[in-house]
């Protein structure tokens, strides 16, 4: 007897033989048992999942001499003719070769004649999406109202190319990809049938390479069995078919996790010299990274990973977090899309693995945002600002808690965990007894024309204050607030709505009040310009604290003596400088 390939020899002959298509088989059996047989069916799905086989089984179930029955005998002349493809009443048409209107006109003429010896005349049109638009239109009337003895079965792998007018006239069945474990079971049965042995891992790799297609799995199985001498092993498959394997992937990705580009390049060159194709290596690497990402998120189901989670490198899992694994997977997915237009696919592959060598330093945009939020909290943790500050949305935040971020928290940055252990927010200075400021009598008070402006009820000419139009009240008795307390109160009040201005105001020094004018010295010209832009709000804030209208003026003197003296940089600025690796341009 002539040799017959496994895909043909093991083609399903009954509904129960269909693998992975239980829903389709159950629906068709119920329709036959209830005698509710449609006049047109549309089978859709990927290649090699049983569409044409199901069409032949349906034809045998309807035309079997013992039927219609859900279990065709397979021994009568009608069943045997359908199995061999020689039945005059079951016509199989290749849609890719018969695309014109003339081919459809032939079908329209033939349906007028009843079946020769069977119960139904059945037309099986494979790859029906290849028909032209005119051919589809010519077929509409025939499949909508065919003779009672005619049944159409269409099969296609590209449903989107079938017109909606055809879909609406057919019962549609969607065929699914077959799970890897089911494919593996069928391959084991095929080994038993032909009398050869196979390792479990070898059958798994054959099933995985088939990508859910039973026909592809059988074809690859025949190829492997041809050079395995009766015993299929994983090593033979890996060497002959150019597979990478989990052990090899563990090795090259461990070198990437260790930031060892030289060892990584040596491994990559060994893979390519061994005959592994670049496309195959990219596909296997993407599958490997996807499995690592699933394990990192606590998913250890072997059917999802493809193999036991213990086979994956623990070193890579320990050194890369979920965000970095997502980044690595996206690199290979993009590489697969770009490689077809590349000048050199090997250069592209080497560049992708080179990126993985510094993947440990990768920081996602979400982590950068969280780092900036942490820096803002550290900046607000300074002397004179209360620990619990009410925000504009009514919530309370504790800036001092920003420095306690632990390493390994979701989205956290390694830099912050190290700095939080080295730098702590300085404690607030101890309270000192500062004598209250005694203000000299002003011209208004000495002349008796108006009360002193620091007394409650005092008036001030409008031209001497920017905030003269806003009434102010004070929580302090006149003349009983010190300049240090005034500064701390002003910084705390401004930090609620404008933390940056409050931080700049906190760095000023040499506060002095002369009449209704308050002067303060800034540490830089940039700081002076920043405060000058917010002087109106500062005037209102300090006037509200003092209970009278105050005009604030900021001064800056760039002298040689001041430049020669070292500037005391706040600890918060040092922390931000170390985090972002910056320099202080003007202190």
């Amino acid at each position: 007897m002539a040799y017959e390939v496994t895909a043909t020899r093991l083609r399903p002959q009954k509904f129960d033989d269909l693998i992975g298509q239980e829903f389709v088989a159950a629906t068709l059996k119920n329709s036959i048992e209830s005698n509710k047989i449609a006049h047109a069916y549309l089978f859709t799905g990927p290649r090699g999942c049983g569409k044409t086989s199901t069409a032949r089984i349906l034809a045998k179930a309807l035309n079997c001499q013992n039927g219609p029955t859900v279990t065709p005998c397979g021994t009568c002349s009608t069943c045997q003719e359908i199995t061999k493809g020689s039945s005059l009443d079951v016509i199989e048409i290749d849609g890719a070769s018969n695309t014109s209107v003339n081919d459809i006109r032939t079908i329209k003429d033939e349906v007028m004649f009843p079946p020769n010896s069977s119960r139904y005349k059945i037309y099986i049109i494979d790859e029906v999406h290849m028909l032209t638009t005119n051919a589809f239109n010519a077929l509409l009337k025939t499949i909508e109202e065919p003779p009672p003895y005619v049944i159409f079965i269409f099969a296609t792998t590209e449903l989107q190319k079938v017109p909606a007018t055809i879909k609406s006239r057919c019962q549609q069945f969607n065929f699914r990809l077959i799970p890897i474990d089911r494919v593996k079971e069928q391959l084991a049965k095929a080994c038993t049938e032909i009398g050869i042995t196979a390792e479990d891992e070898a059958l798994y790799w054959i099933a995985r390479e088939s990508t859910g297609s039973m026909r592809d799995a059988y074809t690859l199985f025949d190829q492997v069995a041809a050079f395995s001498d009766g015993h299929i092993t994983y090593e033979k498959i890996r060497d002959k078919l150019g597979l990478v394997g989990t052990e090899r992937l563990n090795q090259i990705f461990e070198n990437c996790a260790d930031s060892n580009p030289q060892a990584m390049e040596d491994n990559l060159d060994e893979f390519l010299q061994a005959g592994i194709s670049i496309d195959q290596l990219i596909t296997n690497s993407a599958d490997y990274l996807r499995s690592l990402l699933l394990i990192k998120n606590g998913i250890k189901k072997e059917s999802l990973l493809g193999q036991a989670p213990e086979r994956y490198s623990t070193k890579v899992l320990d050194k890369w977090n979920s965000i970095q694994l997502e980044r690595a997977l996206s690199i290979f997915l993009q590489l697969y899309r770009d490689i077809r237009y590349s000048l050199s696919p090997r250069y592209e592959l080497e560049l992708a693995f080179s990126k993985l060598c510094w993947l440990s330093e990768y920081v996602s945009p979400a982590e950068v945002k969280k780092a900036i939020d942490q820096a803002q909290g550290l900046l607000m943790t300074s002397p004179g600002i209360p620990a619990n500050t009410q925000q504009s949305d009514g919530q309370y935040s504790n800036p001092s808690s920003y420095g306690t971020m632990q390493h390994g928290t979701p989205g956290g940055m390694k830099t912050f965990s190290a700095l939080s252990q080295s730098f702590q927010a300085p404690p607030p200075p101890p309270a000192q007894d500062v004598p209250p400021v005694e203000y000299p009598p002003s011209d208004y008070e000495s002349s008796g024309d108006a009360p002193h402006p620091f007394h409650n009820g005092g008036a001030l000419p409008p031209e001497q204050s920017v905030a003269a139009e806003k009434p102010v009240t004070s929580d302090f008795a006149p003349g009983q607030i010190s300049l240090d307390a005034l500064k701390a109160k002003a910084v705390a009040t401004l930090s609620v709505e404008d933390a940056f201005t409050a931080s700049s105001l906190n760095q000023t020094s040499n506060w002095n009040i002369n009449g209704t004018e308050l002067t303060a010295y800034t540490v830089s010209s940039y700081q002076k310009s920043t405060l000058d832009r917010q002087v109106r709000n500062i005037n209102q804030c300090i006037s509200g604290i003092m209970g009278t209208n105050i005009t604030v003026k900021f001064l800056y003197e760039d002298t040689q003596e001041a430049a020669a003296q070292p500037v005391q940089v706040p600890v918060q600025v040092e922390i931000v400088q170390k985090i972002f690796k910056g320099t202080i341009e003007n202190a």
Side-chain angles (χ1 to χ4, degrees), residues 7 12 76 101 106 135 147 171 222 240 327 406 434 521 541 565:
C76 64
V101 178
T106 302
Q171 286 191 7
D222 289 340
K240 298 297 183 180
R327 173 65 176 171
Q406 300 297 323
V434 181
Y521 284 85
C541 176
Q565 296 179 355

Side-chain angles (χ1 to χ4, degrees), residues 532-552:
D532 286 341
R533 289 194 295 268
Q534 302 294 331
V535 70
R536 181 182 181 88
N537 295 334
I538 298 174
N539 287 342
Q540 293 180 357
C541 176
I542 296 180
S543 298
I545 296 172
M546 296 296 299
T548 187
N549 294 302
I550 298 296
T551 302
V552 183

Side-chain angles (χ1 to χ4, degrees), residues 542-586:
I542 296 180
S543 298
I545 296 172
M546 296 296 299
T548 187
N549 294 302
I550 298 296
T551 302
V552 183
K553 183 178 181 181
F554 296 102
L555 304 175
Y556 171 69
E557 293 182 1
D558 188 10
T559 62
Q560 295 294 333
E561 181 179 358
Q565 296 179 355
V567 179
Q568 186 68 25
V569 180
V571 65
Q572 293 84 0
V573 177
E574 292 181 356
I575 293 175
V576 175
Q577 178 188 0
K578 289 180 178 293
I579 291 173
F580 296 102
K581 300 179 181 180
T583 57
I584 301 175
E585 297 293 339
N586 189 356

Side-chain angles (χ1 to χ4, degrees), residues 440-450:
S442 63
D443 296 338
Y444 293 100
E445 187 176 20
S446 60
S447 61
D449 295 338

Side-chain angles (χ1 to χ4, degrees), residues 8-262:
T8 303
R9 186 177 69 254
L10 298 182
R11 182 187 290 272
Q13 302 299 327
K14 298 179 181 180
F15 287 115
D16 295 335
D17 297 337
L18 293 174
I19 306 301
Q21 315 301 337
E22 288 76 11
F23 172 77
V24 175
T27 305
L28 292 177
K29 288 195 294 184
N30 290 337
S31 64
I32 294 174
E33 290 176 346
S34 60
N35 198 23
K36 296 180 180 179
I37 302 171
H39 58 271
Y41 296 90
L42 178 60
F43 295 163
T44 68
R47 70 187 187 280
C49 59
K51 298 184 296 298
T52 306
S53 298
T54 304
R56 291 181 179 180
I57 295 174
L58 179 59
K60 287 192 292 183
L62 296 176
N63 285 341
C64 180
Q65 294 180 1
N66 299 327
T69 176
V70 296
T71 56
C73 63
T75 57
C76 64
S77 59
T78 302
C79 291
Q80 291 182 356
E81 290 175 355
I82 296 175
T83 302
K84 296 177 182 179
S86 59
S87 175
L88 297 178
D89 297 323
V90 178
I91 301 98
E92 295 191 28
I93 301 174
D94 180 16
S97 303
N98 302 273
T99 61
S100 65
V101 178
N102 292 331
D103 299 321
I104 301 302
R105 185 178 293 114
T106 302
I107 297 176
K108 293 177 63 176
D109 295 338
E110 290 178 355
V111 297
M112 303 305 297
F113 299 95
N116 184 33
S117 59
S118 302
R119 193 174 293 105
Y120 293 96
K121 177 178 282 190
I122 301 175
Y123 288 88
I124 301 176
I125 304 180
D126 200 6
E127 300 300 330
V128 71
H129 64 272
M130 298 297 292
L131 297 180
T132 62
T133 303
N134 292 334
F136 274 123
N137 292 335
L139 193 59
L140 290 178
K141 189 64 177 178
T142 303
I143 65 175
E144 183 175 9
E145 296 178 355
Y149 49 80
V150 173
I151 296 177
F152 288 96
I153 303 176
F154 303 136
T156 178
T157 56
E158 300 184 30
L159 179 62
Q160 70 278 3
K161 293 184 179 180
V162 179
T165 52
I166 297 292
K167 298 177 186 177
S168 63
R169 290 166 168 82
C170 303
Q171 286 191 7
Q172 182 175 329
F173 291 87
N174 296 320
F175 287 69
R176 306 171 183 174
L177 290 173
I178 304 173
I180 293 179
D181 54 345
R182 300 292 301 277
V183 176
K184 184 178 172 184
E185 293 176 2
Q186 295 303 118
L187 293 177
K189 293 179 180 179
C191 290
T192 304
E193 183 190 14
I194 62 178
I196 64 175
T197 60
E199 293 181 355
D200 188 71
E201 186 175 5
L203 295 180
Y204 160 75
W205 275 102
I206 295 176
R208 185 170 182 176
E209 289 298 311
S210 67
T211 63
S213 171
M214 198 69 241
R215 184 173 60 230
D216 290 1
Y218 282 144
T219 302
L220 184 58
F221 172 79
D222 289 340
Q223 181 181 355
V224 172
F227 61 74
S228 296
D229 297 330
H231 181 60
I232 302 176
T233 62
Y234 169 69
E235 287 74 15
K236 293 178 181 179
I237 295 177
R238 185 186 63 186
D239 296 337
K240 298 297 183 180
L241 300 183
L243 301 178
V244 185
T246 307
E247 293 79 9
R248 292 180 175 179
L249 291 174
N250 283 336
Q251 183 179 4
I252 190 171
F253 279 99
E254 284 178 359
N255 291 329
C256 293
D258 292 335
S259 299
N260 190 350
Q262 182 177 0

Side-chain angles (χ1 to χ4, degrees), residues 283-470:
T283 302
N284 293 151
S285 298
D287 292 338
Y288 179 84
L289 290 170
R290 178 246 185 192
S291 299
L292 290 182
L293 184 59
L294 292 177
I295 296 174
K296 197 71 174 180
N297 288 284
I299 301 173
K300 297 184 179 180
K301 190 176 180 181
E302 190 169 348
S303 60
L304 289 176
L305 300 178
Q307 50 190 319
E310 293 80 14
R311 302 199 58 182
Y312 294 93
S313 172
T314 56
K315 178 185 289 187
V316 180
L317 288 170
D318 292 338
K319 290 199 173 184
W320 288 346
N321 57 31
S322 298
I323 296 178
Q324 291 165 342
L325 287 173
E326 289 177 2
R327 173 65 176 171
L329 180 58
S330 66
I331 289 175
F332 278 90
L333 294 178
Q334 184 63 39
L335 175 62
Y336 188 81
R337 290 189 290 266
D338 296 343
I339 200 169
R340 68 185 65 181
Y341 305 110
S342 174
L343 175 66
S344 174
R346 174 162 182 163
Y347 295 168
E348 296 278 357
L349 183 63
E350 291 174 344
L351 179 60
F353 276 102
S354 178
K355 291 179 180 179
L356 298 186
C357 290
W358 56 265
L359 187 64
S360 299
E361 304 297 328
Y362 171 74
V363 180
S364 67
E367 291 176 307
V368 173
K369 178 183 180 300
K370 185 165 291 188
I372 295 175
D373 294 340
Q374 300 280 348
Q376 181 181 2
L378 290 172
L379 287 173
M380 293 177 62
T381 310
S382 57
I385 300 181
N388 291 312
T389 304
Q390 187 175 8
Q391 300 176 350
S392 59
D393 57 358
Q395 301 295 326
Y396 286 84
S397 63
N398 186 359
S400 62
S401 65
Y402 287 110
T404 62
M405 185 175 182
Q406 300 297 323
H407 173 60
T409 54
M413 291 184 62
K414 185 188 299 184
T415 309
F416 267 103
S417 64
L419 291 176
S420 62
Q421 300 172 5
S422 325
F423 297 95
Q424 297 294 333
Q432 299 179 358
D433 296 333
V434 181
V437 179
E438 297 293 339
Y439 303 103
S442 63
D443 296 338
Y444 293 100
E445 187 176 20
S446 60
S447 61
D449 295 338
H452 192 276
F454 278 16
H455 295 171
N456 289 336
L460 192 68
E463 63 273 7
Q464 296 188 17
S465 175
V466 178
E469 71 278 1
K470 182 176 180 179

